[in-house]
Amino acid sequence: MGPTLAPMSQTTTVAPVSTGIDPSKIGQLASQLDSDDRGREAVFDVEGLSVSYSGALALDGVSLEIRKNFVTAFIGPSGCGKSTFIRCFNRMNDLIPGAVVEGRVLYHDRDLYGSNVDPVEVRRRIGMVFQKPNPFPKSIYDNIAFGPRVLKLTKDLDERVERTLRHAALWDEVKDRLSENALGLSGGQQQRLCIARALAVEPDVILMDEPASALDPISTSRIEDLIHELKREYTIVIVTHNMQQAARVADMTAFFSVEVREDGTGRHGTLVEYDRTTKIFTNPSDRRTEDYVTGRFG
Amino acid sequence: MARLEYQASLDSLESDLQEQGEVVLRAVRGAINALETQDVELCDEVIAFDDEIDERYHRIERSIGQLLAQQAPVASDLRLVLAVLHSSIHLERIGDQSVTVAKLTKLSAALEQHTELVEGLCEMGARAAEMVRRSLDAFADRDVAGARELVDLDELIDRTNRAVVDKVLAMSAPGMQEWGMRMIVVARCIERIGDNAVDIGEQTEYLVTGEFHEFSDASH
């Protein structure tokens, strides 16, 4: 195993949240946050993060903090860079040829992109769930046991599988068919299985990229209930196109927008506003946020 | 501009509130006019007119229920919907106060009166009507400063209300007591109309700023 990151329990000094857009707004924004939020440990501290693909800027200069045991939602129109941004938290962009990440991402005070950091260990601590459920074509049991086996966490594996499935609110539905192929589950069950699979290796953070957009309303509600449950133990970051979903599940919401460059060289994503979800959905500070959340965008 | 139907519903909701305001103002002015002229028929009209006010309030409430269920308004749209709902309730209560004034005027019509006191009450009523007018204008214009000025106007009404009580207590003629007691309640109703206008002003500030503050504390 490669070098490990700082222990999950390590605490950090929390600086005020910044928007990454207008430094003069930073103080104003921080003052809007409850003192409880400011005292909450920051899991990620992102400073001036830019991402480009083969030289084309996709996301420009984002700074924000993700706080422990909060659900943080990223919303914004297509092309605003929210999925690009969430992929920076577990170095998924490393896997895309031509992707360049600049700026700084501190995870519990350690540079996530430091030369001594093992991306595999990063992805164990920072799990990810994608838009489309992607269970392995294996049994339900083996889907959950896969990660622990790779990491040699095979002691009491049955208990671990059960505990994880219970955690993902799936146990009662699958306990009698653990040996059946996971692809036989419904879409919503498959997605909860994927969440369980991420939980099985005891992560610190769960990243969710549109986790319910392919699901029906009842399955979506189950995922949202699960998110509420999981935030007691995990820090959750979610990208969603569904603004009401962000309003329902998130403690903090970041609104990203698309900025067209004046010199005509293209467009890129940018962070417009980051604040308590209640603030974003009742009294946003920026006109662009207001236009987007009220549906006046475009 | 996207969501044209939605925007049309919000615009219509706001114009419904202003129309309710106009109807309520007619009730306030009618009640004060009836008090001034001791017009029992006009009192009956004001009392009967309250159904119209109630119906307009319920119509606004139904529209808001539909908007919340179907459009899930957020941000300034949500604030508008909430502010319209609260303001509509305040207007409905102003209508109720006008009815009480009309009923008491009717009950007191046969009693001996204190002309000077009636004139004072009518002046107080005109000020209250002016406050309602201004509260509706401030809401329509998103005029927070104008909304806050309602507090000063309300202070004048409160002062007159206290003076009415003092005057009634000073009345020594035995036949005046019943009339005086009723006029204390009339003054109280007019004073409440002023308070409700201030409440609408507070909704205007909430609508514009997203922050709700009582303009004056309870001891005021």
Side-chain angles (χ1 to χ4, degrees):
Chain A
M1 190 184 287
T4 55
L5 294 166
M8 283 180 231
S9 59
Q10 182 172 335
T11 55
T12 66
T13 307
V14 180
V17 170
S18 62
T19 63
I21 297 299
D22 178 358
S24 66
K25 282 186 181 169
I26 293 173
Q28 177 197 337
L29 187 65
S31 69
Q32 290 160 355
L33 296 173
D34 298 339
S35 55
D36 172 52
D37 301 347
R38 280 201 292 273
R40 199 175 268 264
E41 181 185 342
V43 174
F44 292 104
D45 180 359
V46 182
E47 191 63 48
L49 192 88
S50 298
V51 182
S52 52
Y53 296 116
S54 304
L57 187 64
L59 187 66
D60 189 31
V62 176
S63 301
L64 54 70
E65 288 181 353
I66 302 291
R67 290 167 197 279
K68 189 173 170 63
N69 297 113
F70 261 5
V71 178
T72 302
F74 297 160
I75 60 169
S78 297
C80 71
K82 56 190 188 296
S83 287
T84 294
F85 188 51
I86 199 173
R87 288 163 160 272
C88 293
F89 289 111
N90 68 344
R91 296 188 50 167
M92 289 291 281
N93 286 318
D94 292 10
L95 307 173
I96 299 173
V100 175
V101 177
E102 292 172 288
R104 197 187 65 183
V105 182
L106 295 185
Y107 170 64
H108 292 295
D109 259 359
R110 291 288 198 87
D111 186 356
L112 203 60
Y113 285 80
S115 56
N116 60 340
V117 172
D118 174 11
V120 175
E121 176 62 11
V122 167
R123 288 175 206 134
R124 184 190 76 72
R125 286 170 179 263
I126 304 161
M128 192 157 193
V129 176
F130 299 89
Q131 180 176 356
K132 219 174 149 206
N134 56 352
F136 302 134
K138 292 170 176 286
S139 70
I140 293 167
Y141 185 98
D142 285 344
N143 262 272
I144 306 300
F146 185 86
R149 281 176 182 145
V150 169
L151 295 167
K152 309 227 174 354
L153 301 169
T154 47
K155 188 168 175 270
D156 301 326
L157 190 57
D158 288 356
E159 282 83 358
R160 179 183 287 269
V161 169
E162 179 177 340
R163 191 173 62 241
T164 305
L165 285 167
R166 283 188 188 280
H167 232 126
L170 194 59
W171 175 251
D172 288 343
E173 293 164 61
V174 301
K175 63 184 175 193
D176 298 326
R177 46 175 174 149
L178 292 175
S179 59
E180 288 178 24
N181 195 307
L183 296 175
L185 295 171
S186 72
Q189 288 171 328
Q190 287 187 20
Q191 192 63 305
R192 276 180 284 145
L193 184 74
C194 292
I195 293 171
R197 192 174 63 190
L199 300 179
V201 293
E202 298 174 7
D204 175 35
V205 178
I206 304 164
L207 307 176
M208 298 183 172
D209 192 355
E210 297 270 358
S213 62
L215 305 180
D216 64 74
I218 292 171
S219 301
T220 298
S221 309
R222 290 217 173 106
I223 297 285
E224 290 178 5
D225 287 345
L226 183 56
I227 290 171
H228 280 297
E229 277 297 311
L230 293 176
K231 78 169 182 177
R232 292 184 195 172
E233 292 177 50
Y234 306 93
T235 300
I236 296 171
V237 184
I238 176 171
V239 166
T240 178
H241 265 121
N242 181 338
M243 278 183 287
Q244 285 306 308
Q245 182 168 71
R248 287 192 294 265
V249 304
D251 300 290
M252 300 288 292
T253 296
F255 169 62
F256 291 80
S257 187
V258 182
E259 200 152 287
V260 180
R261 288 191 284 280
E262 283 177 7
D263 60 8
T265 57
R267 46 180 58 203
H268 60 263
T270 182
L271 174 64
V272 172
E273 189 169 351
Y274 179 45
D275 212 322
R276 291 288 289 196
T277 299
T278 48
K279 177 81 166 60
I280 295 288
F281 285 94
T282 59
N283 193 16
S285 301
D286 195 289
R287 182 79 220 173
R288 290 168 292 176
T289 315
E290 169 91 26
D291 286 347
Y292 185 74
V293 298
T294 59
R296 270 30 170 242
F297 183 87
Chain B
M1 173 72 77
R3 302 185 79 181
L4 296 176
E5 278 293 314
Y6 171 48
Q7 185 58 52
S9 303
L10 290 173
D11 292 345
S12 154
L13 188 65
E14 191 159 359
S15 62
D16 285 350
L17 180 76
Q18 289 293 333
E19 281 174 26
Q20 186 195 5
E22 295 300 331
V23 170
V24 166
L25 264 174
R26 277 169 63 193
V28 174
R29 287 174 181 143
I32 300 305
N33 197 4
L35 175 69
E36 189 172 19
T37 58
Q38 294 298 301
D39 184 339
V40 174
E41 277 183 33
L42 184 53
C43 288
D44 284 334
E45 275 183 46
V46 170
I47 294 163
F49 196 53
D50 195 46
D51 289 343
E52 162 89 15
I53 295 171
D54 289 351
E55 172 51 32
R56 284 177 183 271
Y57 162 65
H58 288 302
R59 203 183 305 158
I60 285 173
E61 193 188 32
R62 279 196 300 274
S63 302
I64 288 175
Q66 284 172 4
L67 264 169
L68 290 173
Q70 296 179 305
Q71 302 286 0
V74 295
S76 60
D77 296 343
L78 178 63
R79 301 205 302 275
L80 175 65
V81 167
L82 293 176
V84 166
L85 181 60
H86 281 293
S87 299
S88 180
I89 294 168
H90 293 312
L91 286 172
E92 192 271 336
R93 286 184 185 154
I94 291 171
D96 290 344
Q97 304 294 355
S98 305
V99 167
T100 307
V101 170
K103 284 180 175 171
L104 289 165
T105 301
K106 250 181 101 177
L107 284 170
S108 315
L111 301 172
E112 189 186 345
Q113 301 185 11
H114 189 300
T115 314
E116 195 190 329
L117 197 64
V118 171
E119 283 172 4
L121 287 170
C122 291
E123 194 186 320
M124 196 177 159
R127 280 195 181 136
E130 174 62 17
M131 283 181 70
V132 176
R133 170 79 273 149
R134 287 209 198 182
S135 72
L136 291 166
D137 290 347
F139 193 101
D141 299 338
R142 310 292 192 261
D143 177 5
V144 175
R148 281 194 162 271
E149 282 169 15
L150 290 164
V151 176
D152 297 331
L153 296 172
D154 194 39
E155 179 56 35
L156 293 174
I157 292 186
D158 289 351
R159 224 178 289 161
T160 314
N161 180 37
R162 289 192 288 271
V164 167
V165 174
D166 291 342
K167 275 198 173 164
V168 170
L169 290 174
M171 284 176 183
S172 53
M176 296 294 287
Q177 285 166 349
E178 183 186 344
W179 181 83
M181 291 297 285
R182 290 201 166 134
M183 289 309 109
I184 285 178
V185 181
V186 165
R188 170 70 181 153
C189 287
I190 297 171
E191 189 264 329
R192 288 298 300 146
I193 290 172
D195 289 346
N196 283 136
V198 173
D199 291 336
I200 294 170
E202 289 167 350
Q203 292 301 320
T204 297
E205 185 182 63
Y206 167 71
L207 169 58
V208 174
T209 67
E211 303 283 335
F212 180 83
H213 300 112
E214 298 272 358
F215 282 171
S216 51
D217 62 46
S219 65
H220 200 70

